[in-house]
Amino acid sequence: MAMQLDSVVPFGRSQDEYIKMFNLTAIDLDCSILGAGDGPASFNAESTPLGSQITSVDPIYELSGADIQQRFETVLDDIIDQVKATPQDWVWSYHSSPEDLRYNRIQAMQLFLKDYESGKQQGRYQTAALPTLPFPDQTFELALCSHFLFLYSKQYDVAFHLASIRELLRISTEVRIFPLLTLMLEPSPYIQPVIQACQDWGYVASIETVGYELQKGGNQMLFIRSQ
Ligand SMILES: C[S@@+](CC[C@H](N)C(=O)[O-])C[C@H]1O[C@@H](n2cnc3c(N)ncnc32)[C@H](O)[C@@H]1O
């Protein structure tokens, strides 16, 4: 048993975690980037002042910052308690302990909240949901999807995954998805069907190992680009 969640939770990671989860280089951070399902991550908030061009989309952005914070606070203790109850399922290399993880998630949420209203006005946080996003073809150079696709394989079926990834490839030159494990720490059953579909559509899809691992065994991302 790893993590039981009835629905997708608004849990956000930092810019440094995004860099490590997606093997982002300085050149990548200079691209126009879409963050799909960015929720209360602080990737956009931390990267924008450094010159990156990031658009984050998430259905949760229909809510006010106070409401997103309240949803986060509702799930925080349960998640940390589940992590503490399953010590064998987690790798404490990046975060040193469940308490450190909790602190990091609160920090990310606070940075996100400080940026949220102005970012919304600037169009950097847009309310939208996979599998249909409101952007013209090839708007972005890089699309990132962290802790939504594959992770919630029980809640979203293979058809949803295929439609979502096809949509990300329509609007972005390259797509990276992390992690490839489900909440139950099993490889998502949709990885192979997705790789096959990407090849059928004329893309190259490869699995890369990254330098970030919190879920045990969760240190791989899927990288998809044109041939
Ligand atoms: C666990 S959070 C991950 C947040 C962020 N990507 C990170 O890794 O820090 C998952 C996010 O997926 C969002 N989500 C749920 N359904 C979605 C959909 N259909 N399209 C895009 N995002 C969705 C949720 O609102 C939530 O913010």
Side-chain angles (χ1 to χ4, degrees), residues 56-134:
S56 298
V57 291
D58 197 300
I60 209 171
Y61 298 153
E62 72 177 356
L63 301 179
S64 67
D67 286 344
I68 295 174
Q69 180 172 20
Q70 199 243 325
R71 283 205 187 180
F72 168 79
E73 285 169 355
T74 304
V75 296
L76 178 61
D77 286 342
D78 174 51
I79 289 176
I80 299 299
D81 286 349
Q82 289 198 48
V83 168
K84 285 180 182 167
T86 54
Q88 70 286 353
D89 289 345
W90 310 95
V91 176
W92 301 110
S93 52
Y94 185 86
H95 304 285
S96 59
S97 64
E99 284 312 320
D100 187 42
L101 172 65
R102 178 195 176 92
Y103 175 78
N104 176 287
R105 294 291 174 265
I106 293 171
Q107 287 288 108
M109 163 63 82
Q110 284 173 352
L111 289 171
F112 161 78
L113 287 174
K114 254 196 238 166
D115 184 50
Y116 183 51
E117 281 314 319
S118 61
K120 250 184 157 176
Q121 281 162 22
Q122 293 161 11
R124 290 189 289 107
Y125 297 105
Q126 298 191 26
T127 307
L130 288 167
T132 306
L133 298 179

Side-chain angles (χ1 to χ4, degrees), residues 8-14 18 21-22 36-42 57-61 71 105 128-131 133 145-148 151-152 156 160 164 178:
V8 183
V9 297
F11 228 47
R13 287 148 196 87
S14 67
Y18 266 63
M21 292 185 297
F22 293 113
D38 266 351
S42 56
V57 291
D58 197 300
I60 209 171
Y61 298 153
R71 283 205 187 180
R105 294 291 174 265
L130 288 167
L133 298 179
C145 187
S146 155
H147 291 84
F148 174 56
L151 185 68
Y152 289 91
Y156 294 90
F160 178 88
S164 296
F178 178 93

